[in-house]
Amino acid sequence: MLDFWKIFQDPNTQWILMGCMLLGLSSGVIGSFAYLRKQSLMGDALSHAALPGVCIVFMLTGSKSVLLFLVGAAAAGLLATFAIGFITRQSRIKQDSALAIILTVFFGVGIVLLTQIQHSGSGNQSGLDKFLFGQAASMIHSDVITMAIISILLIGACTLLFKEFKLISFDPGFARGLGFPVTVLEQFIMFLIVVAVVVGLQAVGVVLMAALLITPAVSARYWTEKLNVMVVLSGIFGALSGLIGTLISASGSNLPTGPFIVLSATAIFAISLLCAPRRGILSKVFLRISVRNNVRREDTAFPSLQEGSNL
């Protein structure tokens, strides 16, 4: 306990802790709608697609500005969403195949550009490889402020458009019949996912960001049947993952923050899978045992019925 108290007293750790919790909170909220719309791979595709945007911005400006990196990553992510939509609308290729195509193509281009930068004169000092797995320790006060503002905007947008997002997530045909701009709303959800992914690149990285989007939402789904409760739980689970992962990372030396955040989210999922009251494995096992015991008691109490059924 004393070690954790010392960790909380470190100003740098406080900023990192705040940033990772805000990242988990916003990712969990917007990830709920991605999960419900069966777009679990969307976060993976967009996070991988952001890498070439980061590399191109560095090649054009030669600057290591996090804000410029975020702009480049957002532009690449939006381009990826339009490419996915174009492929699915103009061909017979389904969305999962389009996601796989865009993910591999954009990430391949990003790796080529990253290799080219690292072999150039300033490549060794660029630090762009940190975007693959994240480097939360490099976050400063301004980065956390940026995360806070973007998290508030993401959560505010999901709150204001909750009914619309709920409708297009469960029945887009009905929403279109009511006159809702379904295509615009779907693209706006994609844009929010892009923003969440881009913000998380510095802390969690390209490879692991998809897990932080989807895992809290899947965990929350085990605990409730109501969408509003699920969204709130998903945000709480995401923030808790950021808290636990950061504390574990700060408790030792050379422990990466991003992977521990994802592992914390996975641990919460495992607990949900086992212990959720209605959907959990243990709950189903206990229910089966209870039903079996009730049947045995009924057979014992009314043996004549059992004999008559055998006859």
Side-chain angles (χ1 to χ4, degrees), residues 240-277:
L240 188 60
S241 300
L243 171 66
I244 297 174
T246 303
L247 290 178
I248 295 176
S249 174
S251 63
S253 59
N254 298 323
L255 296 178
T257 305
F260 276 107
I261 292 176
V262 174
L263 289 176
S264 300
T266 305
I268 294 175
F269 165 73
I271 294 173
S272 302
L273 178 65
L274 290 173
C275 303

Side-chain angles (χ1 to χ4, degrees), residues 230-246:
M230 173 185 168
V231 172
V232 173
L233 283 178
S234 180
I236 293 174
F237 289 160
L240 188 60
S241 300
L243 171 66
I244 297 174
T246 303

Side-chain angles (χ1 to χ4, degrees), residues 25 27 51 70 75 137 191 216 252 257 262-263 281 296:
L25 176 64
S27 299
L51 183 60
L70 295 180
F191 172 74
T257 305
V262 174
L263 289 176
I281 294 177
R296 289 177 179 174

Side-chain angles (χ1 to χ4, degrees), residues 20-283:
C20 292
M21 290 182 65
L22 290 173
L23 172 63
L25 176 64
S26 58
S27 299
V29 170
I30 189 61
S32 299
F33 296 102
Y35 169 69
L36 290 174
R37 299 180 69 239
K38 296 179 172 37
Q39 293 181 337
S40 299
L41 280 177
M42 184 60 69
D44 199 15
L46 295 180
S47 59
H48 284 72
L51 183 60
V54 172
C55 295
I56 291 174
V57 165
F58 180 80
M59 295 174 69
L60 292 176
T61 64
S63 172
K64 294 186 288 184
S65 171
V66 174
L67 182 60
L68 291 177
F69 285 167
L70 295 180
V71 171
L78 290 175
L79 180 61
T81 61
F82 288 126
I84 293 169
F86 178 81
I87 291 174
T88 54
R89 287 192 301 269
Q90 302 298 324
S91 67
R92 296 183 178 181
I93 298 176
K94 295 183 179 180
Q95 190 179 54
D96 56 347
S97 300
L99 286 170
I101 293 171
I102 296 302
L103 185 154
T104 53
V105 170
F106 273 70
F107 190 63
V109 172
I111 294 297
V112 171
L113 295 176
L114 183 61
T115 304
Q116 181 65 30
I117 291 172
Q118 289 177 337
H119 285 84
S120 63
S122 59
N124 292 332
Q125 289 79 30
S126 66
L128 295 182
D129 57 328
K130 302 301 181 184
F131 278 83
L132 290 175
F133 299 103
Q135 190 180 34
S138 64
M139 287 193 299
I140 57 177
H141 177 264
S142 59
D143 298 333
V144 177
I145 295 299
T146 302
M147 282 187 174
I149 294 174
I150 294 177
S151 297
I152 293 173
L153 292 176
L154 285 174
I155 297 172
C158 292
T159 302
L160 292 175
L161 297 174
F162 178 78
K163 292 182 179 179
E164 289 80 0
F165 288 174
K166 177 180 179 180
L167 190 57
I168 66 173
S169 296
F170 289 103
D171 196 344
F174 181 65
R176 190 175 288 107
L178 292 177
F180 286 98
V182 175
T183 303
V184 175
L185 290 172
E186 288 177 345
Q187 290 299 323
F188 187 63
I189 290 179
M190 298 280 280
F191 172 74
L192 295 180
I193 295 174
V194 170
V195 173
V197 166
V198 168
V199 172
L201 290 181
Q202 186 179 6
V204 181
V206 167
V207 178
L208 301 175
M209 187 57 207
L212 192 57
L213 273 172
I214 301 302
T215 308
V218 178
S219 302
R221 183 67 182 90
Y222 276 91
W223 294 92
T224 182
E225 302 288 342
K226 298 181 179 180
L227 178 58
N228 55 348
V229 179
M230 173 185 168
V231 172
V232 173
L233 283 178
S234 180
I236 293 174
F237 289 160
L240 188 60
S241 300
L243 171 66
I244 297 174
T246 303
L247 290 178
I248 295 176
S249 174
S251 63
S253 59
N254 298 323
L255 296 178
T257 305
F260 276 107
I261 292 176
V262 174
L263 289 176
S264 300
T266 305
I268 294 175
F269 165 73
I271 294 173
S272 302
L273 178 65
L274 290 173
C275 303
R278 295 184 62 184
R279 294 173 174 267
I281 294 177
L282 294 179
S283 175

